[in-house]
């Protein structure tokens, strides 16, 4: 794995450009499609270019775009309707475990279409397959949480790229204590979902999934999950090491860290307020596409730094398009046609032109024009080639949000000084075991 990471850092990017027509006539005749989306880059881009999309498609696109928690609430409410209010919904990779009962299997559509699963990154395509092989989601904006650092600042202090969590703490200390106006590191320390997700993904970097998944190679597998796999793994050496890492990060974090979440950490990094940040790769457009950003053109990218005895591996998450099971049957064919269009090579390239720095397809990622617009895409493509991306850190089980919510509260109490590490870890373990047993699992 060490040699693979070294090879990864040497990957170069070639230059080539093809201009293609991004739009089709999928809604010809004035048809309407109703989409429930997330306030992430790809749907923000759709909002930006919606008039052009509607004109080219020949119909109406209704976009209902919401934040992470409100989106989940709306998906759950919509599932209880006799007939869905939406033709397509956005699903985050770990949510498939919870949403499986009310998503349509698109296997027959894929088999009867020109869509080729091999056109997508294997790890991204596999993220939409659940419940014994059913295709429940098509990749639209699957992207990993990776690690970004200011190459110019690291060079100034003679620091090597941070491959381990010890490297991160060392670099954060040096930057925090020496670089005026710059904290060592930004990260998701905001109470609730931001910090809860940070915990389970970082625990993965310390070599353990948040539940007792079966091992597979350098990581774990969620291909089959039995009751015994649902045991929470918080009160373990890796869980405690993760909590201690968070306490160490607090020493070198910017003001306001206890309220910092996804875009805020990237904005502070963009403005020169911290020298490193954890970041969902698609959010890099915040600074890479901003000519006034202090970070633009000066950022290096890596998979998550690893804890002792573990490996570099970034969490793949991000968004898929799914068809609700309670859709009006007469609208299902239209919904599939729109999925084909929205996830096509031409459309994915179009999104990058307007600030969506994510690609689920190698043939898009390897376009030099795309990499010029979004440098991070080339690095993520290399991570995929070297198998440095995985989804097991946020396993798609129905209880995933409960795990995230619990850790987001307990860890926040700890880093804010309200609880000791030992108390926060033990309380988390007890709460999660109680939740799992209440759900009917025995382990």
């Amino acid at each position: 794995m060490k040699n693979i990471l070294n090879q990864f850092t040497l990957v170069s990017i070639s230059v080539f450009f093809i201009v293609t027509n991004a739009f089709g006539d999928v809604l010809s005749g004035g048809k309407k499609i109703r989409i429930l989306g997330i306030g992430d880059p790809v749907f923000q881009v759709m909002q930006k270019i919606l008039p052009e999309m509607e004109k080219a498609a020949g119909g109406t696109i209704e976009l209902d775009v919401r934040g992470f928690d409100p989106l989940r609430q709306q998906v759950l409410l919509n599932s209880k309707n006799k007939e869905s209010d939406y033709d397509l919904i956005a699903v985050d990779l770990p949510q498939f475990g919870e949403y499986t009962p009310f998503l349509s299997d698109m296997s027959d559509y894929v088999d009867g279409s020109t869509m080729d699963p091999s056109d997508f990154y294997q790890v991204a395509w596999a993220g939409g397959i659940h419940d014994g092989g059913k295709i429940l989601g098509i990749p639209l904006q699957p992207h990993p949480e990776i690690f970004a650092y200011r190459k110019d600042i690291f060079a100034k202090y003679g620091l090597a790229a941070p491959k381990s969590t010890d490297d991160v703490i060392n670099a954060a200390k040096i930057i925090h204590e020496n670089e005026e106006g710059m904290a060592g590191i930004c990260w998701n320390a905001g109470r609730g979902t931001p910090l809860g997700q940070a915990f389970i993904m970082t625990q993965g970097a310390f070599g353990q999934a948040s539940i007792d998944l079966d091992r597979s190679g350098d990581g774990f597998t969620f291909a089959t999950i039995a009751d015994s796999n649902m045991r929470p793994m918080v009160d373990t050496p890796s869980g405690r090491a993760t909590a201690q890492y968070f306490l160490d990060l607090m020493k070198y974090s910017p003001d306001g860290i206890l309220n910092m979440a996804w875009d805020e950490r990237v904005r502070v990094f963009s403005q020169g307020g911290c020298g490193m940040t954890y970041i969902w790769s698609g959010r890099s457009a915040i600074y890479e596409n901003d000519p006034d950003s202090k970070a633009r053109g000066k950022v290096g990218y890596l998979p998550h730094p690893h804890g002792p005895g573990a490996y570099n591996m970034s969490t793949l998450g991000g968004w898929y398009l799914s068809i609700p099971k309670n859709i009006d049957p007469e609208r299902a064919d239209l919904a599939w046609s729109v999925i084909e269009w929205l996830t096509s090579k031409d459309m994915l390239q179009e999104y990058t032109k307007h600030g969506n720095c994510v690609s689920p397809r190698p043939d898009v990622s390897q376009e030099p024009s795309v990499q010029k617009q979004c440098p991070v895409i080339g690095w993520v493509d290399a991570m995929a080639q070297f198998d440095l991306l995985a989804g097991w850190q946020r396993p798609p089980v129905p209880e995933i949000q409960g795990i995230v919510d619990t850790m987001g509260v307990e860890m926040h109490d700890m880093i804010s000084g309200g609880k000791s590490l030992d108390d926060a870890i033990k309380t988390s373990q007890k709460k999660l075991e109680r939740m799992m047993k209440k759900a009917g699992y025995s382990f």
Side-chain angles (χ1 to χ4, degrees):
M1 179 63 73
K2 182 177 180 181
N3 289 335
I4 288 177
L5 186 61
N6 289 337
Q7 293 177 51
F8 159 74
T9 60
L10 296 175
V11 170
S12 61
I13 299 172
S14 60
V15 178
F16 192 66
F17 178 45
I18 297 177
V19 177
T20 55
N21 178 16
F23 301 111
D25 58 356
V26 69
L27 298 176
S28 61
K31 299 184 185 74
K32 177 172 70 175
I33 194 76
R34 305 163 302 177
I35 305 173
L36 178 60
I38 177 72
D40 256 32
V42 68
F43 289 102
Q44 292 169 345
V45 165
M46 288 184 191
Q47 289 177 308
K48 186 187 303 183
I49 63 173
L50 189 61
E52 292 85 353
M53 290 177 67
E54 289 184 323
K55 181 178 180 181
T60 302
I61 302 171
E62 288 187 356
L63 270 178
D64 184 353
V65 176
R66 307 191 179 207
F68 186 91
D69 290 329
L71 171 62
R72 176 174 175 267
Q73 294 166 3
Q74 186 63 16
V75 170
L76 295 175
L77 286 171
N78 184 68
S79 72
K80 300 181 185 301
N81 294 340
K82 181 178 180 181
E83 187 173 285
S84 175
D85 291 333
Y86 305 95
D87 305 306
L88 301 175
I89 59 174
V91 180
D92 192 13
L93 192 156
Q95 293 176 328
F96 281 108
E98 182 178 17
Y99 294 176
T100 289
F102 41 88
L103 296 180
S104 297
D105 181 7
M106 294 179 281
S107 298
D108 288 344
Y109 279 121
V110 172
D111 291 343
S113 73
T114 58
M115 181 177 288
D116 186 349
S118 67
D119 287 338
F120 296 81
Y121 290 111
Q122 190 278 329
V123 65
W125 184 263
I129 300 177
H130 300 272
D131 197 25
K134 296 177 181 177
I135 301 175
L136 301 182
I138 303 298
L140 176 67
Q141 187 197 273
H143 57 150
E145 187 183 72
I146 59 177
F147 195 83
Y149 66 98
R150 283 282 296 274
K151 294 187 293 184
D152 56 327
I153 302 299
F154 270 64
K156 178 178 178 179
Y157 294 105
L159 296 168
K163 298 179 183 179
S164 72
T165 51
D166 286 344
D167 293 341
V168 171
I169 297 300
N170 178 62
K173 183 178 188 296
I174 291 172
I175 294 169
H176 197 85
E177 294 178 352
N178 293 280
E179 191 68 17
E180 186 176 355
M182 180 176 284
I185 186 166
C186 293
W187 53 293
N188 272 8
R191 190 178 184 86
T193 298
L195 183 54
Q197 287 194 3
F199 182 88
I200 63 175
M201 290 189 289
T202 306
Q203 187 177 13
F206 278 88
Q208 178 61 58
S210 57
I211 58 176
D212 196 11
L213 297 177
D214 294 333
R215 285 199 168 272
S216 176
D218 292 334
F220 298 84
T221 180
F222 53 78
T224 56
I225 299 179
D227 278 18
S228 60
N229 297 122
M230 296 301 293
R231 180 189 300 277
M233 299 298 287
V234 175
D235 195 359
T236 60
S238 65
R240 288 175 175 271
T242 301
Q244 183 59 55
Y245 178 59
F246 284 178
L247 290 174
D248 292 340
L249 291 179
M250 287 295 294
K251 302 172 188 175
Y252 312 115
S253 298
D255 293 340
I257 186 63
L258 291 173
N259 296 312
M260 184 170 282
W262 296 282
D263 283 1
E264 180 61 21
R265 61 182 175 177
V266 182
R267 280 193 287 268
V268 173
F269 180 75
S270 174
Q271 295 161 2
C274 56
M276 299 175 286
T277 187
Y278 286 89
I279 177 176
W280 287 101
S281 63
R283 299 296 193 181
S284 65
I286 290 174
Y287 51 84
E288 295 289 14
N289 292 342
D290 179 4
D292 296 323
S293 170
K294 295 181 180 179
R296 188 184 192 194
K298 303 174 183 177
V299 180
Y301 299 102
L302 293 167
H304 270 208
H306 66 81
Y311 301 99
N312 296 96
M313 188 73 66
S314 270
T315 304
L316 184 71
W319 298 92
Y320 292 70
L321 286 176
S322 298
I323 301 176
K325 187 174 286 186
N326 58 344
I327 189 175
D328 178 350
E330 294 186 359
R331 298 187 62 80
D333 289 350
L334 176 64
W336 170 252
S337 296
V338 172
I339 286 181
E340 285 189 288
W341 176 50
L342 293 178
T343 62
S344 67
K345 178 180 179 181
D346 288 349
M347 283 304 298
L348 292 168
Q349 285 186 251
E350 192 69 20
Y351 306 145
T352 65
K353 296 176 185 177
H354 300 275
N356 178 50
C357 288
V358 179
S359 165
R361 296 172 55 124
D363 57 359
V364 174
S365 299
Q366 292 162 16
E367 287 283 355
S369 61
V370 169
Q371 294 180 358
K372 182 178 181 181
Q373 178 75 22
C374 299
V376 73
I377 286 181
W379 291 104
V380 172
D381 178 62
M383 291 181 199
Q385 291 181 44
F386 287 113
D387 293 326
L388 298 174
L389 308 178
W392 54 261
Q393 299 92 328
R394 298 194 304 164
V397 296
E399 293 73 26
I400 186 63
Q401 191 60 43
I403 296 172
V404 167
D405 290 343
T406 298
M407 299 315 302
V409 169
E410 293 300 320
M411 287 296 104
H412 199 270
D413 286 347
M414 181 195 73
I415 63 174
S416 60
K419 283 186 177 180
S420 68
L421 184 154
D422 187 63
D423 188 11
I425 287 291
K426 287 182 176 178
T427 301
S428 299
Q429 183 73 23
K430 289 177 182 178
K431 285 184 175 181
L432 293 180
E433 286 184 358
R434 190 182 308 122
M435 180 184 73
M436 294 302 186
K437 290 176 180 178
K438 185 176 180 180
Y441 300 108
S442 57
F443 41 80

